[in-house]
Amino acid sequence: MTRPPLLLPRPEGLYCPTGDFFIDPMRPVPRALITHGHSDHARPGHGAVMATRQTLDLMAIRYGEDFCTTRQSAEGPTRIGDVTVSFHPAGHVLGSAQIAVESPTQRIVVSGDYARVPTATCAPFEPVPCDIFVTEATFALPVFRHPPPEVEIARLLASVAAFPERSHLIGAYALGKAQRVIAELRRAGWDAPIHIHGALQRLCDYHIAQGIDLGELRPATEGVKSDFAGAIVIAPPSAFAATWAQRFPDPVIALASGWMQVRARARQRGVELPLILSDHVDWPHLTATITELNPAEVWITHGREDALMRWCELTQRAARPLHLVGYEDEAE
């Protein structure tokens, strides 16, 4: 009797037949395992949801307490049907995890989104030996080589010093990137209050409750226009298209994203100060991770599949694209 595959792609997402669950499904399903809280991976409406405690908390903050029927916190290896699942840090955002799915003969690790640059806002990536490594390919082109975060923060602070009469508005997605920018600013010695858009408040409060020091944060709606001269303000990128941004003095518009390496994107969005800050692996870290894990096969879930497929071919690694759609940076 032929055993069913451990994981296979379906329209809803990656499916485990022997455990009868999906990983990061793109539509409501009876049972879902979720890698992290970004809206392109964590959607409401599922029956049972299993994720790290922090991801479950973040989903409740974003979608309400009734975002699913039942929830289960991932605490150590768990048996589901005929497979064992375990969650391991992915280094992407708070609560993010890789999900290992294991049978007696095979282990597949679904990495979700992941990063290899340490940050104060989440646990670092944990390499997990596996037979098949399922990887994103968001920045899977050799051109994507992200500078160290301290270099980009130094550019921001140099701009603040050069234009003390202007405010600096930094676009950053509400979960993960905003808190990382704040933490990086604190690490660089910026101890003045940082002003935040209301959409960030509950998520920042949760990070603080989890022991992440973000320093003094103030609502960006408090004060008159002149009070924000020389100030740093952080908001979701969508806020800049509204009249909300007009309350600040001659703002320098910045955007924190790995996509800011593509200058055309910065120009299209009217970004004066592009900050290349990414919560994903760039090309060197992506290929180094695959080399380190050395799995028997690589599966590519989403992003720039062709270049990574070619690299795997040149390095004599078995690989296949899964052609899953619906996963992108949630704010892009």
Side-chain angles (χ1 to χ4, degrees), residues 45-318:
H46 303 306
V49 168
M50 184 178 187
T52 66
R53 177 186 54 81
Q54 290 172 328
T55 292
L56 293 174
D57 290 346
L58 290 165
M59 291 180 72
I61 290 171
R62 307 193 87 184
Y63 303 130
E65 291 293 337
D66 60 349
F67 68 86
C68 67
T69 305
T70 62
R71 64 184 84 168
Q72 179 180 355
S73 177
E75 304 290 347
T78 303
R79 193 76 176 170
I80 303 178
D82 292 332
V83 299
T84 299
V85 300
S86 55
F87 287 62
H88 308 265
H92 178 56
V93 296
L94 187 64
S96 63
Q98 307 166 80
I99 300 176
V101 181
E102 193 166 1
S103 73
T105 58
Q106 187 180 61
R107 178 192 285 165
I108 301 179
V109 170
V110 181
S111 60
D113 290 339
Y114 65 103
R116 301 303 304 266
V117 177
T119 170
T121 51
C122 69
F125 178 93
E126 175 188 310
V128 180
C130 54
D131 303 294
I132 297 175
F133 183 58
V134 185
T135 181
E136 59 153 306
T138 304
F139 293 108
L141 289 173
V143 68
F144 287 113
R145 298 171 184 269
H146 300 146
E150 58 268 24
V151 171
E152 298 302 280
I153 295 299
R155 291 178 55 242
L156 168 60
L157 293 178
S159 181
V160 173
F163 303 107
E165 74 286 359
R166 304 175 69 182
S167 58
H168 280 66
L169 271 60
I170 305 171
Y173 10 107
L175 171 56
K177 187 63 63 66
Q179 296 79 27
R180 185 181 179 200
V181 170
I182 295 169
E184 292 289 352
L185 281 164
R186 299 309 189 197
R187 187 162 72 100
W190 180 265
D191 57 6
I194 294 174
H195 305 267
I196 61 173
H197 188 280
L200 308 182
Q201 188 67 58
R202 291 186 68 198
L203 292 169
C204 286
D205 288 346
Y206 182 75
H207 280 70
I208 293 168
Q210 295 300 298
I212 297 167
D213 184 9
L214 300 180
E216 183 180 354
L217 304 179
R218 293 181 183 175
T221 51
E222 292 183 358
V224 298
K225 196 168 193 173
S226 59
D227 292 338
F228 293 96
I232 293 176
V233 182
I234 301 180
S238 58
F240 299 162
T243 56
W244 181 85
Q246 298 174 10
R247 64 188 320 276
F248 304 102
D250 189 19
V252 175
I253 301 298
L255 183 60
S257 170
W259 292 112
M260 288 299 95
Q261 189 171 339
V262 182
R263 298 303 177 180
R265 285 208 180 199
R267 289 193 298 269
Q268 289 165 2
R269 303 187 67 159
V271 175
E272 183 176 346
L273 182 61
L275 300 172
I276 306 170
L277 284 168
S278 178
D279 296 323
H280 298 261
V281 281
D282 60 4
W283 178 260
H285 282 134
L286 172 56
T287 54
T289 298
I290 295 172
T291 301
E292 176 185 5
L293 295 174
N294 196 28
E297 191 171 358
V298 177
W299 291 359
I300 307 167
T301 54
H302 62 281
R304 283 75 202 155
E305 298 172 343
D306 291 348
L308 189 55
M309 285 292 298
R310 178 59 175 160
W311 178 84
C312 288
E313 179 185 346
L314 291 173
T315 56
Q316 298 182 323
R317 300 176 190 277

Side-chain angles (χ1 to χ4, degrees), residues 7 39 149 215 287:
L7 286 177
S39 59
T287 54

